[in-house]
Amino acid sequence: EVNAGDTYDNIDSTNIQNKVDGLSDFYDLSFADRGVHQTDSNSQYKYYGGRGITVCEEWQEFIPFKEWALNNGYKEDLTLDRIDCNGNYEPTNCRWVTMKEQQCNKRNNHLITYKGETKTVSQWAEERGMLYDTLYARITRYGWSIEKALEN
């Protein structure tokens, strides 16, 4: 297992090779298939490169990306998340998170501010022990206030 804070030099080489194989596939899928550094002929280009999102110069090659990933918490069950979903793929804007965490960091999330705290509908529903669909319907279909939807 590669943990945050581990460096490339102090991890078992067999484990590293398995991680590198996974990272190589991840790298190919994340950057090439999303159309980040492709042309508008790529179906995903409009969501990434077409919005001006780029891959930093450092990560144009796999080895620097691999070294960053292995030194910054990469695990096979995590996904690369841009902290600012409108920002570039670069070390200061990326982190490894679970898919559930990443789903809370999307442009199309419905955000609710309640008592000074902003969360997604999904996060509020989970915190309140209700179904997402119930909370979403209360607000959008039935026109309930945020307070009524969350307190009932």
Side-chain angles (χ1 to χ4, degrees):
E1 181 174 311
V2 179
N3 296 305
D6 285 345
T7 64
Y8 181 74
D9 294 332
N10 68 8
I11 302 170
D12 173 49
S13 62
T14 303
N15 193 17
I16 282 293
Q17 189 55 53
N18 291 337
K19 297 293 182 189
V20 168
D21 291 344
L23 266 174
S24 179
D25 292 341
F26 174 86
Y27 181 84
D28 291 342
L29 291 171
S30 292
F31 298 138
D33 287 354
R34 286 185 183 171
V36 173
H37 49 212
Q38 299 288 322
T39 64
D40 57 7
S41 63
N42 182 294
S43 66
Q44 297 297 303
Y45 179 79
K46 64 184 173 186
Y47 302 115
Y48 299 94
R51 292 180 39 232
I53 294 169
T54 62
V55 176
C56 68
E57 185 74 27
E58 177 183 355
W59 288 358
Q60 295 294 323
E61 300 292 329
F62 173 67
I63 298 301
F65 172 77
K66 174 193 74 172
E67 290 173 357
W68 174 87
L70 293 174
N71 284 312
N72 286 277
Y74 170 76
K75 293 181 185 175
E76 290 180 20
D77 62 335
L78 299 179
T79 183
L80 187 66
D81 180 53
R82 284 175 292 126
I83 297 164
D84 172 1
C85 61
N86 295 308
N88 295 326
Y89 285 93
E90 57 193 16
T92 59
N93 191 43
C94 290
R95 62 187 173 184
W96 296 102
V97 298
T98 64
M99 185 56 76
K100 183 177 180 179
E101 290 171 296
Q102 189 174 49
Q103 293 304 307
C104 292
N105 188 25
K106 295 171 53 177
R107 291 182 299 139
N108 63 348
N109 275 338
H110 299 277
L111 299 175
I112 296 174
T113 301
Y114 174 67
K115 294 187 177 180
E117 193 171 355
T118 302
K119 298 180 183 183
T120 66
V121 173
S122 179
Q123 289 171 318
W124 280 117
E126 183 176 345
E127 182 178 296
R128 297 296 180 157
M130 64 176 70
L131 296 173
Y132 168 90
D133 291 339
T134 300
L135 180 56
Y136 188 75
R138 286 177 176 180
I139 296 166
T140 60
R141 185 179 309 151
Y142 305 123
W144 289 17
S145 70
I146 301 300
E147 291 76 18
K148 182 179 178 182
L150 287 169
E151 293 173 1
N152 284 316

